[in-house]
Amino acid sequence: MRFEVLSRDDMNALSRELSRAGIMNRTREEVSPEVSHYVVVRGTYAELLKKSEGIESIEETLSAIREFYGSLLDDWETGSERDLNAILDESDTEGLAVVTALLSAGAVHEEGGKLTLLEKPPLEPLEFELRFPVEEVEEYLDETEERFGAGMVTEYTLSKRYYVEVLEVDGELIDAALEIAKDYATEESVVEATFDGIARSVLAQVILELAEKHRRKNELIKSLMEREPITVGDGDERVNIYYDEDAIEDFLKTLQTLGYLKVKGNRIWV
């Protein structure tokens, strides 16, 4: 299982903590491309609202914009300042859209991260440029292009990512690694690693049990393939573990590296 961290320093620190706990691990750095496609719609709030009828994601965004606009201007006196970061901390993309529209309309002035409210314009004539991930409007893509004359923006991002891979299959060591990683790794990678750890531990246990009966690798793999998928839990709370022969070949090498078994040719020793 592997954990993603946000910096090389965090990667090295997590690796050291795991090593001190006796947990075998290795670091990895990858340069990864990410391609994202967005549909872009432009117009006044009133125009966008009229054209968006029935397109759920756009309607929801416009509703959130109205709510943010109201909460922002209700207690903001003309001529007074607000901190830009404080404003946007309370929102997401909708907040940025409102602030951008107010700046474009000349209703606020920005300097040094501070916003000064010059006037309180109505929402309807404010100009907005909104973008939506293609998958959010995919169901209505043709309709969106027809109604809004929507454009398409593609973003290509090349970034370096940092990982710490834990090689253990022992359940207690996996639990210890998960506990340590919480202080360093992204929440998403910890969740994914939790299930990866469960699956690796269960798969290793099943392989070692089968290896006691099948001393030949091809027989062990055949028996393991007949069991696929291996299920942990029951009812609605279960994990189904799937695999193929090539993946098992590699997993056997991992178990050998960890000292659980020895593979030579077609022979296996536990």
Side-chain angles (χ1 to χ4, degrees):
M1 62 180 183
R2 73 176 185 174
F3 301 100
E4 182 175 5
V5 295
L6 300 180
S7 70
R8 182 181 286 110
D9 287 345
D10 283 348
M11 178 186 71
N12 291 330
L14 174 54
S15 180
R16 285 194 299 269
E17 287 287 328
L18 292 169
S19 296
R20 276 198 287 265
I23 299 169
M24 189 179 296
N25 68 90
R26 64 188 177 199
T27 60
R28 173 171 294 184
E29 301 180 20
E30 297 178 1
V31 176
S32 306
E34 182 176 343
V35 180
S36 304
H37 304 285
Y38 299 92
V39 171
V40 180
V41 299
R42 300 179 180 86
T44 66
Y45 184 87
E47 291 169 345
L48 295 175
L49 186 63
K50 182 177 180 181
K51 294 175 182 178
S52 68
E53 185 177 356
I55 303 177
E56 186 176 347
S57 57
I58 300 180
E59 285 185 317
E60 288 177 353
T61 296
L62 290 173
S63 177
I65 283 175
R66 180 177 290 279
E67 183 177 346
F68 181 87
Y69 172 85
S71 65
L72 177 64
L73 295 188
D74 277 350
D75 60 353
W76 193 0
E77 297 297 329
T78 303
S80 63
E81 285 187 348
R82 297 283 297 273
D83 184 82
L84 177 60
N85 290 328
I87 290 173
L88 295 182
D89 278 348
E90 300 167 3
S91 180
D92 194 6
T93 53
E94 292 81 8
L96 181 59
V98 170
V99 170
T100 300
L102 290 171
L103 285 167
S104 297
V108 298
H109 173 71
E110 189 275 330
E111 185 174 353
K114 301 289 185 180
L115 296 178
T116 302
L117 183 64
L118 304 178
E119 60 175 303
K120 292 188 178 184
L123 175 61
E124 283 68 20
L126 290 179
E127 294 276 350
F128 287 88
E129 178 178 296
L130 306 176
R131 66 180 196 173
F132 301 87
V134 167
E135 56 270 18
E136 285 188 11
V137 295
E138 190 169 10
E139 184 180 352
Y140 311 99
L141 194 54
D142 291 340
E143 199 170 354
T144 301
E145 291 177 350
E146 181 180 342
R147 291 191 198 179
F148 295 92
M152 182 79 74
V153 172
T154 297
E155 293 186 352
Y156 177 91
T157 305
L158 193 63
S159 59
K160 196 157 193 176
R161 307 179 79 167
Y162 304 92
Y163 302 95
V164 177
E165 296 183 348
V166 171
L167 305 178
E168 305 290 355
V169 295
D170 178 86
E172 291 185 3
L173 291 176
I174 286 173
D175 288 342
L178 289 167
E179 191 62 34
I180 293 170
K182 288 177 182 178
D183 294 331
Y184 297 93
T186 63
E187 183 178 353
E188 182 180 348
S189 72
V190 170
V191 171
E192 187 172 338
T194 299
F195 291 101
D196 185 19
I198 292 171
R200 285 169 59 87
S201 179
V202 170
L203 185 57
Q205 183 179 348
V206 171
I207 288 175
L208 294 174
E209 289 174 358
L210 289 175
E212 294 284 355
K213 304 175 184 177
H214 304 285
R215 297 297 183 174
R216 294 189 176 277
K217 185 174 69 172
N218 61 336
E219 293 175 0
L220 185 150
I221 292 177
K222 179 181 178 182
S223 178
L224 194 61
M225 295 307 298
E226 290 172 352
R227 292 194 177 199
E228 192 216 15
I230 297 170
T231 299
V232 184
D234 53 30
D236 293 332
E237 301 293 330
R238 65 181 186 272
V239 177
N240 294 328
I241 304 169
Y242 296 87
Y243 40 82
D244 58 34
E245 291 189 23
D246 289 340
I248 295 302
E249 289 272 6
D250 282 354
F251 198 64
L252 289 174
K253 294 175 184 176
T254 298
L255 293 177
Q256 181 167 254
T257 300
L258 293 172
Y260 288 97
L261 48 74
K262 181 179 179 181
V263 181
K264 187 173 183 181
N266 196 37
R267 296 286 294 169
I268 292 181
W269 293 266
V270 179

